[in-house]
Every structure is written in C-alpha cells, then in structure tokens.
Amino acid sequence: MTVNLDDTPTRLRLDRALDDLAVTFRGMTARADETQCTCHWGSAEELALLKVPDLELDPELLRRTWGAPDWGDHGAVLRRVLPQLARALVGGAVPGYSVAEVGESFARGGWQHWPTRQRASVSEFLHAWWSHSLTSPASTIPVPGLLVLCAEASATLTPWLAAWEALDHPLADRHLADTAARWEYDLLTDELPWFTRHDEDALRAELTAWLARYAPTRLHAHDPSSTAAASYPSPPRPAGKTPTGH
C-alpha cells in the first residue's frame, strides 16, 4: 500500500479535482471519422485506440496525442486523454520545457467553450494544481512554468496572479522570488518570458504591472536584503516588434 505523505488541504483538493476529471470525461473518445498522418503521427492501430473509451495509452502515444496540432476535432481528442494527461502532468511525466505546448493544447481544445460540467472540471483542476504548487517546496513543474501553462490554457494571467496575491504563505513568497529572478531580465527589456499565441503585449503589461505593484513588499518580507523585482517599468513596445520565444 502506498502512503501519500502529502495530505495538505491543497493536495487533497488536487486529488479531488483529478478524480472529478476521471468521472466527468469517462467514456469519451475521438470522433469515429478522426484521421491522422501515419508518416508523422503514428499508426492506424494507435489511432484506433483513441476511439476506444478509457483505455490507458502508453506515455509516448499520450505525448504525441496531446501534442499533435492538426486533429480534425482537437477538443474531442483532448477530452479522450484528459484524465490520463492530468495525472501525468501532476506526476511529473511531462518535461518542463513542454509546459507552454501543453497550455496551447488546452487552448486548441477550446475547453472554455465546452459544456458547463466539463468546463468546470477543467477549471477546478487547473486552479487546484496551481494552488498546490504555490504551497509546495518542489512542484513537479516549477511555478514559473506552471504559470505559463495556465496562462496559455486560459489566454489570461488574471486569475492565476490573483490567486497568488491572495495567498499568504512563505513558500508562495519563495516561488515569487524565484520567478522574479528568472524573468527580471526579459521583463526589463520589454519581453514576455515565453512565446505565446495570445496577446503578447497584454500579457507582458499585466505581468510587469503586477510584479511592480505586488512583488517588492512580499519579497522584502521574505528576504529584507532582496532587491529582485524592485522595479519593473513597462515601457511601450516599439511598433511592429516581432514576438520571440524563450
């Protein structure tokens, strides 16, 4: 018997959210007429597995499935694999460099336009995972990466930054210090620290303004000698600037 030593309220919330995904998306399949390229994606036999409900996929097939950008109905495919994908994400099976791609996959699936029950289940999973990571000493995906995932999945930073700001926890402040240090150079040079398919200028401006308003006080309380995030000016981006990935 495996004993889960992490029985904090945020972990219990996350476990309930994972269980709810499994119930909500039970029986989902890709469309019967869904197709894929056998040269670049995989075999016809592998595609057939996506049309069988609740069958566990091997990790490599799972990766190719959520990562493929050209499904006829990406939403149906995402619903088919979502319970397994969510557990893989929380368990650390997806490498950190793929977090933006995972967020893009959620966005391509259009989950915010799914039926109410499905939409609520996905939202609760993302929020529960975010809250747990902010209060965990070593999240499977570092907090800066998870913020990118959530922002790309939802096309906004607002709820994730609001949840962070409302959380009075020393580990949340430690993650804030780490994030500010990682992203300081990009933001001070008028760059969003990751490539986005959403409104880059709006995301950058919101993140910069939030750090400038919120981070100095919290980081000083966390470490009085800290100078990180002391100033995040938000100069206007030159017209016609091409987004770059990070």
Side-chain angles (χ1 to χ4, degrees), residues 160-185:
W160 319 110
L161 297 182
W164 203 343
E165 185 168 352
L167 189 59
D168 184 9
H169 194 286
L171 288 175
D173 291 346
R174 184 189 304 174
H175 291 308
L176 179 61
D178 175 58
T179 301
R182 289 192 189 200
W183 288 352
E184 181 177 18
Y185 177 80

Side-chain angles (χ1 to χ4, degrees), residues 30-170:
R31 287 189 337 205
D33 62 349
E34 185 65 79
T35 60
Q36 241 322 330
C37 173
T38 57
C39 296
H40 298 95
W41 178 80
S43 67
E45 291 76 15
E46 288 175 316
L47 178 61
L49 297 178
L50 303 183
K51 301 172 184 181
V52 178
D54 307 322
L55 186 67
E56 195 86 352
L57 308 179
D58 71 67
E60 173 58 20
L61 178 56
L62 178 65
R63 183 198 63 78
R64 282 185 278 124
T65 298
W66 67 255
D70 53 351
W71 294 109
D73 187 340
H74 190 93
V77 171
L78 184 61
R79 287 190 290 269
R80 163 63 178 84
V81 302
L82 192 52
Q84 184 183 352
L85 173 58
R87 291 192 179 277
L89 290 168
V90 172
V94 176
Y97 58 76
S98 295
V99 291
E101 296 174 25
V102 174
E104 290 171 12
S105 183
F106 273 73
R108 280 198 305 273
W111 68 273
Q112 292 172 301
H113 304 289
W114 291 353
T116 301
R117 178 74 180 83
Q118 297 176 9
R119 185 169 68 245
S121 185
V122 176
S123 178
E124 173 59 13
F125 162 64
L126 292 175
H127 280 276
W129 189 18
W130 177 236
S131 294
H132 179 257
S133 295
L134 287 174
T135 56
S136 297
S139 177
T140 53
I141 292 179
V143 163
L146 185 54
L147 180 59
V148 171
L149 188 156
C150 291
E152 291 304 301
S154 60
T156 181
L157 282 163
T158 302
W160 319 110
L161 297 182
W164 203 343
E165 185 168 352
L167 189 59
D168 184 9
H169 194 286

Side-chain angles (χ1 to χ4, degrees), residues 15-31:
D15 288 341
R16 288 193 298 270
L18 290 168
D19 290 342
D20 186 66
L21 285 176
V23 172
T24 301
F25 295 97
R26 182 176 298 151
M28 299 289 178
T29 66
R31 287 189 337 205

Side-chain angles (χ1 to χ4, degrees), residues 165-229:
E165 185 168 352
L167 189 59
D168 184 9
H169 194 286
L171 288 175
D173 291 346
R174 184 189 304 174
H175 291 308
L176 179 61
D178 175 58
T179 301
R182 289 192 189 200
W183 288 352
E184 181 177 18
Y185 177 80
D186 289 302
L187 293 174
L188 289 175
T189 55
D190 196 26
E191 296 284 353
L192 187 69
W194 67 91
F195 175 80
T196 182
R197 299 187 185 280
H198 303 302
D199 188 334
E200 181 185 3
D201 287 346
L203 291 173
R204 177 195 54 79
E206 181 176 7
L207 180 59
T208 303
W210 183 79
L211 282 168
R213 174 178 58 81
Y214 170 66
T217 300
R218 291 298 288 265
L219 293 186
H220 182 76
H222 172 72
D223 177 4
S225 66
S226 174
T227 59

